[in-house]
Amino acid sequence: MLKLFVTGGAGFIGSAFIRLALAARPDCQVINFDALTYAGNPDNLTGLDAERHCFVHGDIANRDQVLAALPDDTDALINFAAESHVDRSIVSADEFLRTNVLGTQVLLDVARARGIRRFVHISTDEVMGSLPEDENAFFTEASPFAPNSPYAASKAAAEHLVRAAHHTHGLDTITTRCGNNYGPRQFPEKLIPLFIANALADEPVPVYGDGRNVRDWIYVDDHCRAILLALEKGESGATYNIGARNERRNLEVVESLLRALDKPASLIRYVKDRPGHDRRYAIDPTKIEMELGWQPQETWESGLKKTIQWYADNPEWIARARSGAYREYYARQYGVEVSAR
Ligand code: NAD
Ligand code: DAU
């Protein structure tokens, strides 16, 4: 039996990871510990095997709640829980420090106290800052830390705490650093689901700055397969960069989405740039490819097709995600109302 304790499992990547782990490992059981913030969505958990998946509502920064929920026969704790949106961290960093930094330390402490065999921490390429627009520069595991947004700084701090827990206390840790994920069930504040949801409703899509920023995109299930592999085969204390060698300028992404949805380019609106906007991310995944034999399974074309199809098939999911507090967020962030569709 493989007993996993997944934090943030009601979010985009955590819920995809739970689906994948339950499907790929018939002997796997998951406790899903999630605070259900605005980004945590019970709709993301529909259809999971109730015999092998147990949801616990709790906050990773609350030591008593984590102590009460984490059994000492857990094989691995996988920490997805985080405040994850750069734009929100620019407005206020408080929750980013509480969850991403303090919450990670609470999990490390409790994992150690409970004797959990392995601690897998899900980090991001953003801890390494921004690359020049030079095709030969890539993030490797040895790249220096240079976080530029409060979100990235909080994730960098969390990584340092994970490293310290390994070095000082001998906790068995793995850290993964991935680039931009896309796929089903991503909250529509991030570029791809936001633009699909807007375009499906024939609303403008807001492109920051000149639209020439580069992101390195990966289909969410490919990221999750890499995490499962690192969890099972990774070297204790190691960091693994995860990327699909798929750099795209934002404008290219937007044009592909509009074309696939048969929507006009006239929906594109250039809006004020994000403060401190990182120019380029690009990951060198050689280490995980060579050491663990990981390879992405989706191409950009196949992943985007599946993603667009999922949102087109799930208008109720989009409508619920875009209701309530989202409408206030959208008006504050973009200065316009989002439609009810
Ligand atoms: P998300 O925002 O979709 O989900 C985050 C989840 O964490 C939500 O379910 C939320 O309810 C939960 N959560 C937040 N605060 C919590 C707390 N205090 N206690 C318990 N649960 C809490 O995020 P995501 O896109 O799925 O990202 C998951 C992880 O992967 C994050 O750590 C993020 O930094 C990292 N990451 C994301 C990407 C990406 O492209 N989305 C890329 C690389 C790394
Ligand atoms: O690289 C990994 C990171 O990718 C993760 O750690 C973060 O959790 C995740 O949010 C993502 O960060 P980004 O800031 O790159 O993602 P976002 O979808 O917010 O933006 C992608 C690009 O699109 C970025 O250059 C900003 C631009 N953008 C974004 C939004 C929301 C726009 O042009 N318009 C928008 O409305």
Side-chain angles (χ1 to χ4, degrees):
M1 189 57 73
L2 177 67
K3 295 194 172 180
L4 304 182
F5 187 86
V6 173
T7 68
F12 165 49
I13 307 175
S15 64
F17 177 80
I18 292 172
R19 268 171 217 287
L20 183 93
L22 292 177
R25 301 286 177 270
D27 64 337
C28 174
Q29 281 191 345
V30 175
I31 295 175
N32 177 0
F33 185 86
D34 195 297
L36 295 181
T37 67
Y38 77 91
N41 186 348
D43 287 351
N44 290 351
L45 307 175
T46 50
L48 293 180
D49 178 351
E51 304 265 293
R52 294 194 293 140
H53 169 258
C54 163
F55 181 79
V56 179
H57 189 203
D59 176 357
I60 63 165
N62 184 319
R63 194 172 297 264
D64 291 339
Q65 289 180 3
V66 179
L67 274 166
L70 183 64
D72 53 15
D73 63 347
T74 302
D75 292 303
L77 185 159
I78 304 111
N79 181 27
F80 292 92
E83 288 295 330
S84 68
H85 193 39
V86 172
D87 289 329
R88 289 184 193 255
S89 79
I90 294 168
V91 176
S92 169
D94 295 359
E95 281 306 303
F96 289 75
L97 296 187
R98 208 184 76 83
T99 289
N100 300 3
V101 185
L102 297 177
T104 298
Q105 185 61 46
V106 168
L107 294 176
L108 290 164
D109 291 343
V110 178
R112 198 156 57 84
R114 286 276 188 268
I116 303 311
R117 295 229 307 269
R118 179 154 265 196
F119 188 104
V120 181
H121 180 69
I122 310 307
S123 189
T124 169
D125 61 355
E126 297 197 18
V127 300
M128 298 172 279
S130 183
L131 291 165
E133 287 175 85
D134 161 4
E135 294 302 319
N136 291 318
F138 296 94
F139 293 134
T140 72
E141 288 77 3
S143 297
F145 279 70
N148 288 323
S149 70
Y151 161 70
S154 70
K155 294 293 289 186
E159 271 204 41
H160 287 313
L161 295 171
V162 174
R163 178 191 157 89
H166 176 75
H167 186 82
T168 299
H169 297 296
L171 190 70
D172 181 337
T173 62
I174 296 280
T175 298
T176 62
R177 289 182 191 150
C178 194
N180 288 63
N181 284 226
Y182 67 100
R185 303 180 188 84
Q186 185 170 28
F187 192 74
E189 63 188 352
K190 309 281 165 60
L191 179 78
I192 287 186
L194 173 69
F195 282 24
I196 293 175
N198 280 19
L200 284 171
D202 296 308
E203 286 170 20
V205 295
V207 173
Y208 294 160
D210 63 5
R212 292 177 60 78
N213 303 65
V214 176
R215 294 294 182 264
D216 193 347
W217 295 95
I218 183 169
Y219 189 69
V220 64
D221 288 355
D222 281 327
H223 180 196
C224 293
R225 276 186 276 273
I227 295 168
L228 190 58
L229 200 57
L231 154 66
E232 293 182 333
K233 303 235 169 74
E235 186 195 340
S236 181
T239 296
Y240 295 96
N241 282 0
I242 302 169
R245 302 181 194 273
N246 182 37
E247 287 181 64
R248 309 274 162 185
R249 288 194 193 280
N250 291 344
L251 265 185
E252 186 193 341
V253 174
V254 176
E255 282 160 5
S256 302
L257 291 174
L258 293 176
R259 215 176 311 116
L261 290 163
D262 199 21
K263 300 291 179 182
S266 58
L267 285 181
I268 295 175
R269 295 284 185 286
Y270 289 94
V271 301
K272 198 164 144 291
D273 207 354
R274 170 186 283 175
H277 196 173
D278 282 341
R279 195 62 173 171
R280 173 174 171 250
Y281 304 147
I283 293 161
D284 177 354
T286 304
K287 180 177 174 183
I288 193 162
E289 287 172 349
M290 300 305 287
E291 283 188 16
L292 303 184
W294 173 84
Q295 285 288 329
Q297 293 182 10
E298 298 293 343
T299 63
W300 173 237
E301 289 71 24
S302 67
L304 212 51
K305 196 169 167 205
K306 281 188 182 178
T307 303
I308 291 170
Q309 195 60 52
W310 189 88
Y311 289 97
D313 289 345
N314 289 278
E316 308 81 16
W317 187 97
I318 297 181
R320 280 199 289 274
R322 293 191 349 147
S323 63
Y326 180 80
R327 305 178 65 75
E328 286 158 38
Y329 164 78
Y330 197 92
R332 212 172 43 239
Q333 178 68 20
Y334 297 100
V336 288
E337 300 288 321
V338 68
S339 89
R341 279 203 285 162

